[in-house]
Amino acid sequence: MWWKYLCVFAFFCGLIGSLVLKRGFTHQDTGLHYDRYLREVIDFLEKDQHFREKLHNTDMEDIKQGKLAKELDFVSHHVRTKLDELKRQEVSRLRALIKAKQDIEGGKDMMMDHQALLKQFEYLNHNNPHTFEVEDLDRLIKSATNDLENYDKERHEEFKRYEMMKEHERREHLKTLDEDGRKKEEEHHEELKKKHADHPKVNHPGSQDQLKEVWEEADGLDPEDFDPKTFFSLHDTNGDGYFDEQELESLFTKELEKVYDPANEEDDMVEMEEERLRMREHVMNEVDTNKDRLVSLDEFLIATKKKEFLEPESWETLEQNQAYTEEEMREFEEHLAREEKDLNQKTLDLQKQKEELERQQEQLNAQKLELQQAVEHMARLKTQNAEPPAEHKGEQIYL
């Protein structure tokens, strides 16, 4: 039952609470490039009784200020030794990545300053690559907190770029068509948009109507018998007393199926996942009052008594909320144009370099041929000079 002691840890580790620490989800990836290192450090710290007790009794504000990290000095020798080993392995992994990156970029003959390059990895103390110290735990906590808080934001930005690229490619395709072809293509595009928007009403995520629909269609129960506590128990799939982000997102499947069908040309599954993320973020913002990225039973029951749960506003889906503005689209296309121009210039420069190298190679080949001919000529002259003069028949020389 160590999860109960680590609920506090979830406060400063954001998604770690739902992806790493939560019992039954330790196999999930946080998406961080140091995910494995992070999970292994947490796993060994959890095994130390002293640290676990301090974690349970430490105030959240003290955790944020780094006071919990100082408790590392009191963990068992076995745990400290293992943490040292984990850090050495992580430093070796980073150095291997740096070396591989440098080789790919053509810097094989350059001297490598590992210490300078390791500075970019803020989640460990690069000045001491051998032992895991208080500063390492402090850095790990702060880095994970910051990186995971920005995780969803980065996903939204990736989706925006995806949508703009899709629109850019559509516009570029239109340029290749004649007037009649463009007209037909635009009509088809508008038809697909209308078909996509023609779907059943989407319930407000986390509202009574939305949960009752899950209760009836997924659970096979009478909506008149809807009971929030029973609903929570049914969908807390590992029975630990919390809804994590994955458990919440699974509640929205029925709503998403109203809008998206993988068999339909007009429905984009990338957009469906963005809609799922929007729904989950909205419910978390409304229900997760202590902001630990988890919904407890108490938080859930309190939310079911609010007006937003009983009388929610209508939910606007993605087609009603374009991911980008026209100004952003213009800047995006200008950026693509600059990248294309730079790429074309690099291609032109490489072609010129290739032609110059070919010209130099031709000159070298001609010089090589001239040298070879000169060497052969010198060899013939040497052979001729080395032959003895021929004797004249019938002649004798008297001294």
Side-chain angles (χ1 to χ4, degrees):
M1 299 300 291
W2 57 269
W3 164 245
K4 293 181 182 295
Y5 298 108
L6 293 183
C7 288
V8 180
F9 206 19
F11 176 82
F12 58 75
C13 288
L15 283 178
I16 300 173
S18 59
L19 296 179
V20 179
L21 296 179
K22 198 169 189 293
R23 190 176 66 245
F25 286 86
T26 53
H27 65 286
Q28 297 286 343
D29 195 313
T30 61
L32 301 177
H33 67 88
Y34 51 93
D35 172 78
R36 181 176 177 178
Y37 175 67
L38 173 64
R39 287 184 289 119
E40 288 178 338
V41 168
I42 291 172
D43 182 57
F44 274 94
L45 285 172
E46 185 273 325
K47 292 176 181 177
D48 184 86
Q49 182 178 355
H50 172 82
F51 191 86
R52 188 166 61 247
E53 291 176 353
K54 284 293 181 181
L55 179 62
H56 176 64
N57 296 316
T58 302
D59 181 80
M60 286 187 179
E61 198 60 38
D62 289 341
I63 293 174
K64 288 191 292 183
Q65 293 176 3
K67 293 184 179 180
L68 182 64
K70 297 177 181 178
E71 297 300 324
L72 183 69
D73 288 334
F74 303 100
V75 302
S76 69
H77 175 72
H78 169 71
V79 171
R80 286 299 293 269
T81 299
K82 187 60 182 178
L83 292 175
D84 291 346
E85 180 183 343
L86 290 175
K87 182 178 179 181
R88 287 192 292 269
Q89 291 173 354
E90 184 67 3
V91 171
S92 296
R93 183 184 74 88
L94 293 179
R95 286 178 172 171
L97 288 174
I98 292 169
K99 178 66 165 60
K101 184 175 184 293
Q102 189 178 47
D103 288 347
I104 291 172
E105 294 176 351
K108 295 180 180 180
D109 299 327
M110 298 171 59
M111 292 296 292
M112 194 159 38
D113 186 349
H114 282 110
Q115 289 299 99
L117 291 171
L118 282 172
K119 288 181 179 179
Q120 62 187 292
F121 301 103
E122 295 296 330
Y123 63 94
L124 53 73
N125 178 11
H126 55 84
N127 292 319
N128 173 15
H130 305 295
T131 58
F132 190 96
E133 305 295 342
V134 170
E135 183 179 355
D136 289 292
L137 182 55
D138 189 44
R139 282 171 175 254
L140 190 59
I141 290 171
K142 291 177 180 177
S143 294
T145 302
N146 181 67
D147 293 343
L148 290 170
E149 283 179 350
N150 292 324
Y151 185 72
D152 284 346
K153 180 180 178 182
E154 291 173 1
R155 285 180 60 186
H156 286 307
E157 287 300 315
E158 288 177 7
F159 174 73
K160 181 189 292 187
R161 288 192 292 271
Y162 168 81
E163 289 286 279
M164 289 191 291
M165 180 58 77
K166 190 166 69 170
E167 175 62 14
H168 169 73
E169 290 174 350
R170 189 186 73 83
R171 294 179 183 181
E172 290 299 303
H173 174 63
L174 290 175
K175 293 177 182 178
T176 66
L177 305 176
D178 58 24
E179 184 176 350
D180 185 54
R182 282 195 297 273
K183 182 179 179 181
K184 290 181 179 179
E185 191 67 26
E186 289 283 23
E187 289 175 352
H188 179 62
H189 178 66
E190 289 302 315
E191 180 185 349
L192 291 179
K193 287 173 64 175
K194 289 179 180 178
K195 286 178 66 177
H196 175 70
D198 183 20
H199 55 72
K201 175 188 174 183
V202 176
N203 289 312
H204 196 97
S207 68
Q208 179 175 239
D209 291 340
Q210 190 254 311
L211 299 187
K212 273 189 174 182
E213 200 165 289
V214 175
W215 174 273
E216 180 179 11
E217 297 186 15
D219 302 331
L221 299 173
D222 188 338
E224 298 300 320
D225 296 331
F226 178 77
D227 176 64
K229 190 171 183 180
T230 303
F231 182 90
F232 188 94
S233 179
L234 286 172
H235 294 277
D236 175 20
T237 54
N238 66 347
D240 67 351
Y242 297 88
F243 277 166
D244 67 16
E245 295 181 346
Q246 287 69 45
E247 289 168 331
L248 268 182
E249 288 183 359
S250 68
L251 299 178
F252 311 136
T253 300
K254 289 293 179 182
E255 298 304 314
L256 294 169
E257 288 175 349
K258 296 176 182 178
V259 185
Y260 298 94
D261 183 342
N264 293 339
E265 180 186 0
E266 67 271 16
D267 298 336
D268 187 331
M269 295 302 103
V270 175
E271 293 178 355
M272 183 183 75
E273 291 308 312
E274 173 69 8
E275 191 76 78
R276 190 190 303 273
L277 173 59
R278 291 177 68 240
M279 289 179 171
R280 186 255 291 167
E281 284 184 323
H282 174 76
V283 173
M284 278 292 187
N285 288 335
E286 292 289 321
V287 183
D288 177 26
T289 54
N290 68 353
K291 305 304 176 186
D292 64 354
R293 306 295 285 262
L294 298 165
V295 175
S296 68
L297 175 59
D298 286 343
E299 287 175 325
F300 180 74
L301 294 178
I302 290 172
T304 61
K305 294 178 174 62
K306 294 180 179 179
K307 182 179 179 181
E308 293 83 357
F309 178 79
L310 301 171
E311 301 174 16
E313 296 178 354
S314 60
W315 177 256
E316 293 187 347
T317 51
L318 276 175
E319 70 263 17
Q320 299 167 290
N321 292 272
Q322 185 166 284
Y324 55 87
T325 65
E326 281 304 313
E327 176 65 18
E328 289 174 323
M329 187 66 197
R330 183 185 64 78
E331 292 176 356
F332 180 73
E333 292 197 305
E334 289 176 353
H335 174 71
L336 289 180
R338 288 193 299 270
E339 283 190 333
E340 184 178 6
K341 182 179 178 181
D342 291 343
L343 183 60
N344 290 338
Q345 185 61 49
K346 289 179 181 178
T347 301
L348 182 61
D349 292 342
L350 288 172
Q351 182 61 32
K352 289 180 179 179
Q353 291 177 19
K354 178 184 176 183
E355 293 172 356
E356 177 62 20
L357 289 172
E358 288 175 347
R359 186 187 66 78
Q360 292 178 7
Q361 186 63 50
E362 289 176 358
Q363 289 181 341
L364 288 173
N365 290 339
Q367 293 173 4
K368 180 180 179 182
L369 180 60
E370 290 178 3
L371 180 60
Q372 184 177 356
Q373 290 173 345
V375 170
E376 291 174 353
H377 178 68
M378 293 297 293
R380 286 196 299 271
L381 291 177
K382 184 177 181 182
T383 301
Q384 292 174 2
N385 291 335
E387 292 179 355
E391 295 184 359
H392 299 283
K393 293 183 178 181
E395 291 185 1
Q396 293 184 359
I397 301 176
Y398 296 96
L399 298 177

